[in-house]
Amino acid sequence: MSPGDDGAKGDFKDKQFEQSEVADKVVEQYDEEHARVFYKYVMGGGGFDIHYGIFRKPSDTVYEASKATNDRLLTCLDWTFPVTKESYVLDLGSGHGGISHEIAKRFGCKVMGANISPEQNKMNLEEAEKLGVGELVDVTLTNFNDGLPEDWTDTFTHVISCEVLCHAASKPDLFQELKRVLKPGGAFVFTDIMGADGANEKVLKDFTDRNATTKMARPSEYLSLITEAGFGEASFLNFSPHLVHYFQSMVDQINTHKSAMLDEGCSEQYLSKW
């Protein structure tokens, strides 16, 4: 670090934590006991998917909406480059393994998760065994902000990621790493939490402060990063209209399961942030 360099740069300029703290913040968000309880009840709806959902009808549950997101993501992956039993998919930020399990079940191919949380990785592999896809699903404990394993170069036919890139310390560096580990002609499909082009970052601050990220990327930024990293043609689908339904569903889940969550370790202060 050069003299006068305080470590705050890029997305971390004048933000609530430093670039070097990203990994600890992510583990804190997802791996601490109260966080696991929250995600189980509120975002997972009792399942292994802790991401935002797509609503086919207003009455869909959080669980159903999350599964609909998985379905569309996997369909896009297969559209971009057909997934076969011979494919090898990298699930970046695999969490509890919900998407890894569905890839293995739907396509019968091998999936490697890359994930920073030991507890989530344990749950991932245990659930894969229960589902009968244990021989197809594996996971590597890794902090992708330190780079991906060197021996993964040109290894994967597909890379998939669901609401994980927001935690990247350097998105340009991560995209270069993903290009390195993806075989030529392979497919990279992801969803992420983004701010609209032109959105005021101050308005988004409450959200970014509690989500182990400092600045949400914009669609135009991601499209540029994809091109600059050397990937082929990029396309973008906007599912933001579903967020209003999902946020209301989160509030409903908190109200319904609040007593159970308090009993299992969540605090009033933690729940009140949502």
Side-chain angles (χ1 to χ4, degrees):
M1 187 177 294
S2 61
D5 184 354
D6 61 1
K9 57 186 178 181
D11 287 359
F12 298 86
K13 182 69 174 177
D14 300 322
K15 298 298 181 179
Q16 75 274 20
F17 57 86
E18 301 291 341
Q19 182 168 342
S20 59
E21 297 178 279
V22 173
D24 289 341
K25 294 294 182 182
V26 172
V27 172
E28 178 183 326
Q29 178 174 339
Y30 295 108
D31 219 20
E32 293 192 353
E33 183 177 358
H34 67 274
R36 294 201 305 271
V37 171
F38 173 82
Y39 282 104
K40 177 179 72 173
Y41 281 105
V42 177
M43 294 200 72
F48 274 55
D49 303 297
I50 52 173
H51 53 70
Y52 293 107
I54 292 171
F55 291 78
R56 294 178 60 84
K57 54 185 184 298
S59 60
D60 280 351
T61 63
V62 166
Y63 179 86
E64 291 168 331
S66 297
K67 289 299 182 184
T69 296
N70 292 356
D71 181 63
R72 295 197 187 190
L73 191 55
L74 268 59
T75 297
C76 285
L77 190 71
D78 190 43
W79 280 349
T80 306
F81 184 61
V83 186
T84 69
K85 287 185 177 181
E86 288 69 43
S87 299
Y88 191 15
V89 182
L90 173 63
D91 183 0
L92 185 75
S94 47
H96 298 114
I99 287 178
S100 292
H101 305 154
E102 292 197 25
I103 292 171
K105 288 191 295 182
R106 181 185 294 196
F107 302 111
C109 65
K110 290 186 177 181
V111 186
M112 173 61 76
N115 198 58
I116 197 172
S117 164
E119 182 63 26
Q120 287 184 337
N121 294 347
K122 179 174 178 288
M123 295 171 67
N124 177 350
L125 296 180
E126 289 175 349
E127 184 68 10
E129 289 292 339
K130 291 178 184 177
L131 295 171
V133 293
E135 75 283 0
L136 295 176
V137 175
D138 200 356
V139 63
T140 296
L141 179 65
T142 184
N143 172 15
F144 59 64
N145 287 314
D146 292 334
L148 297 172
E150 287 297 323
D151 59 358
W152 282 6
T153 299
D154 292 338
T155 292
F156 301 100
T157 57
H158 300 74
V159 175
I160 194 168
S161 182
C162 187
E163 292 176 25
V164 171
L165 303 184
C166 57
H167 300 309
S170 170
K171 294 179 179 68
D173 288 349
L174 178 57
F175 274 56
Q176 290 291 343
E177 279 292 276
L178 294 175
K179 183 67 166 59
R180 176 179 66 81
V181 303
L182 188 65
K183 287 184 175 182
F188 172 33
V189 174
F190 69 91
T191 65
D192 200 26
I193 305 164
M194 307 181 203
D197 285 313
N200 186 332
E201 200 63 38
K202 291 182 179 179
V203 176
L204 303 174
K205 187 176 186 300
D206 283 345
F207 186 87
T208 56
D209 279 359
R210 63 174 178 263
N211 276 278
T213 186
T214 59
K215 176 182 177 294
M216 284 189 279
R218 306 298 191 256
S220 58
E221 178 183 353
Y222 271 136
L223 291 171
S224 295
L225 285 171
I226 291 169
T227 301
E228 291 165 4
F231 291 100
E233 295 184 10
S235 61
F236 166 69
L237 295 173
N238 181 10
F239 293 129
S240 59
H242 294 270
L243 284 175
V244 64
H245 300 291
Y246 198 89
F247 285 137
Q248 183 58 56
S249 294
M250 288 177 66
V251 173
D252 293 342
Q253 289 288 99
I254 291 172
N255 291 335
T256 299
H257 301 289
K258 185 174 183 179
S259 294
M261 287 191 286
L262 291 173
D263 289 343
E264 293 182 37
C266 277
S267 67
E268 285 275 7
Q269 181 181 9
Y270 183 83
L271 295 178
S272 68
K273 295 192 302 180
W274 298 90

